[in-house]
Amino acid sequence: MRLIDMTWEEVRDLAGSAPIALLPAGAVEAHGPHLPLGTDVVIAEAMAASAERRLEGQGRIVLVLPPLVYTTARFAADFPGTISVDPDLVTRLAVGVARSIARLGASVLAIANAHLEPAHLQALSAAAEAIRGELGLPVAFPDLTRPPWALRLTDEFRSGACHAGCYEGSIVLAARGDLVRDSIRQALPDHPVSLARAIRSGKTTFREAGGERAYFGFPARASAEEGARTIEILGGILADAVAAEVAQRP
């Protein structure tokens, strides 16, 4: 069930079902010359849809929320089309969403996040802490940059050279192939520069990290087949994070 497609009476009738609320979180930022600005949103929604199928298969009621689209995207801020907002705003927005979801009687809020900029991750972590403390609502927020979740993803992802490369390109090919500029993608040279290492060394923009065209990794190697496999892995990660969060609660 997608909240945005439902009527208020249909939502009212969920009372007592303790739904699991899935919140996709992405960004509007440059993803090379071949992928759309909304790539992270596409990935987050695919992750949520995969988790929804798994959780519903376990007999749970699942409610997929509209995605968090605007966030801090400072690394790509000097590329046209990127929209970046203050991290504190992201935290406040996520907490505000959670307040409304708590009133629906949600049992868990699970964040399907695909934007990996450190300030964004910190903003969502702060939101999760505030939601648990203020509302008592369990929050499942698997940080894909950390074990054990990162270890389940592709070699390119683990290398850190994965912005608009094979990992993200494959997922978009599988989920929204119509948005990929495929002739451009196939002609792009490999760019095996680890964005993760560049961030750890103090770089603060894609260009400082060596990403003049806002991509890192191996975009020409992307395939819809790899993307479909990765989407299922992401869905499993989110479903497992929900199970772990529930297991910690009475």
Side-chain angles (χ1 to χ4, degrees):
M1 294 181 292
R2 284 170 25 106
L3 178 69
I4 203 168
D5 296 334
M6 301 173 70
T7 69
W8 73 268
E9 291 185 343
E10 290 168 341
V11 176
R12 176 200 61 195
D13 294 343
L14 290 176
S17 65
I20 297 170
L22 306 184
L23 176 61
V28 179
E29 70 167 358
H31 276 80
H34 58 299
L35 296 181
L37 293 163
T39 287
D40 290 345
V41 180
V42 171
I43 296 171
E45 290 191 311
M47 180 181 185
S50 176
E52 178 187 20
R53 292 190 292 270
R54 288 173 177 265
L55 292 166
E56 287 181 343
Q58 299 166 13
R60 307 300 297 267
I61 304 297
V62 181
L63 192 61
V64 181
L65 307 180
L68 266 176
V69 172
Y70 300 122
T71 186
T72 180
R74 294 171 180 167
F75 277 80
D78 57 347
F79 288 88
T82 296
I83 297 175
S84 184
V85 302
D86 189 89
D88 290 343
L89 178 60
V90 180
T91 299
R92 294 197 303 272
L93 179 58
V95 172
V97 169
R99 290 192 187 108
S100 293
I101 295 307
R103 288 196 292 272
L104 298 179
S107 58
V108 181
L109 175 64
I111 302 175
N113 176 59
H115 182 51
L116 306 179
E117 187 166 320
H120 170 78
L121 293 172
Q122 291 163 9
L124 290 183
S125 293
E129 183 177 350
I131 292 164
R132 294 184 186 109
E134 175 188 331
L135 304 173
L137 178 64
V139 180
F141 173 41
D143 182 346
L144 299 181
T145 68
R146 298 178 179 273
W149 315 118
L151 302 179
R152 293 165 64 168
L153 293 169
T154 67
D155 291 341
E156 188 201 68
F157 182 92
R158 293 195 302 272
S159 78
C162 62
H163 181 81
C166 182
Y167 167 79
E168 291 191 326
S170 293
I171 296 172
V172 181
L173 281 170
R176 286 295 310 273
D178 58 303
L179 297 178
V180 180
R181 284 64 170 172
D182 214 40
S183 60
I184 297 175
R185 178 190 67 80
Q186 293 178 33
L188 287 174
D190 295 346
H191 187 48
V193 173
S194 174
L195 181 57
R197 281 196 288 273
I199 291 171
R200 288 195 294 269
S201 71
K203 303 296 189 294
T204 59
T205 70
F206 287 159
R207 285 199 167 97
E208 283 183 6
E212 289 296 326
R213 301 189 75 188
Y215 80 90
F216 299 81
F218 307 88
R221 303 184 192 182
S223 70
E225 293 75 20
E226 177 176 314
R229 292 192 298 270
T230 304
I231 288 169
E232 290 309 301
I233 292 171
L234 290 169
I237 285 172
L238 191 60
D240 289 350
V242 168
E245 188 68 27
V246 170
Q248 295 177 26
R249 303 285 170 163

